[in-house]
């Protein structure tokens, strides 16, 4: 797994950047709460600072009983959907960690 983003928590939202070899979002990316229309609807929407939605996130809990967000990022300019997890580090910062598959 690779670290592809750094975020800071602000109330119930997160603000940061996403960077890969082919993707460099220089504008801020926000992960903001979403109104859940159904049980399976995402808990969060992921938007670029230009208000374009580029993904969604769901609250999960790891086997070690640590909360995280399971994220998907997608855009027509991406070669494929990006699956990642937003996890809190020991210092309180949040890292977006890429995964090849969406298996949670």
């Amino acid at each position: 797994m690779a670290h592809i983003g750094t975020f800071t928590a602000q109330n119930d939202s997160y603000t940061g950047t996403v960077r890969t070899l082919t993707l460099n979002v220089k504008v801020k990316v926000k992960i903001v709460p979403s109104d859940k229309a159904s049980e399976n609807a995402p808990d969060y929407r992921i938007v670029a600072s230009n208000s374009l939605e580029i993904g969604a996130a769901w609250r999960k809990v790891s086997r070690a009983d640590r909360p995280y967000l399971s994220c998907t990022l997608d855009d027509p300019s991406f070669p494929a959907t990006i699956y990642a997890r937003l996890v809190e580090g020991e210092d309180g910062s949040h890292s977006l960690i890429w995964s090849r598959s969406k298996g949670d």
Side-chain angles (χ1 to χ4, degrees), residues 22-57:
T22 58
L23 171 66
N24 186 3
V25 179
K26 293 182 181 179
V27 295
K28 288 185 180 177
V29 173
K30 291 188 177 185
I31 303 173
V32 295
S34 175
D35 293 330
K36 288 183 69 97
S38 70
E39 183 179 322
N40 294 328
D43 296 300
Y44 292 87
R45 298 290 178 190
I46 303 172
V47 295
S49 67
N50 54 6
S51 299
L52 292 176
E53 186 173 322
I54 61 168

Side-chain angles (χ1 to χ4, degrees), residues 46-98:
I46 303 172
V47 295
S49 67
N50 54 6
S51 299
L52 292 176
E53 186 173 322
I54 61 168
W58 292 260
R59 289 185 185 105
K60 303 280 184 171
V61 178
S62 72
R63 290 184 191 129
D65 204 30
R66 292 187 61 185
Y68 69 95
L69 295 181
S70 175
C71 304
T72 59
L73 302 171
D74 207 351
D75 181 82
S77 66
F78 296 176
T81 300
I82 295 172
Y83 299 103
R85 292 183 177 118
L86 186 70
V87 297
E88 185 175 3
E90 292 183 17
D91 63 354
S93 67
H94 291 77
S95 295
L96 190 63
I97 308 298
W98 170 79

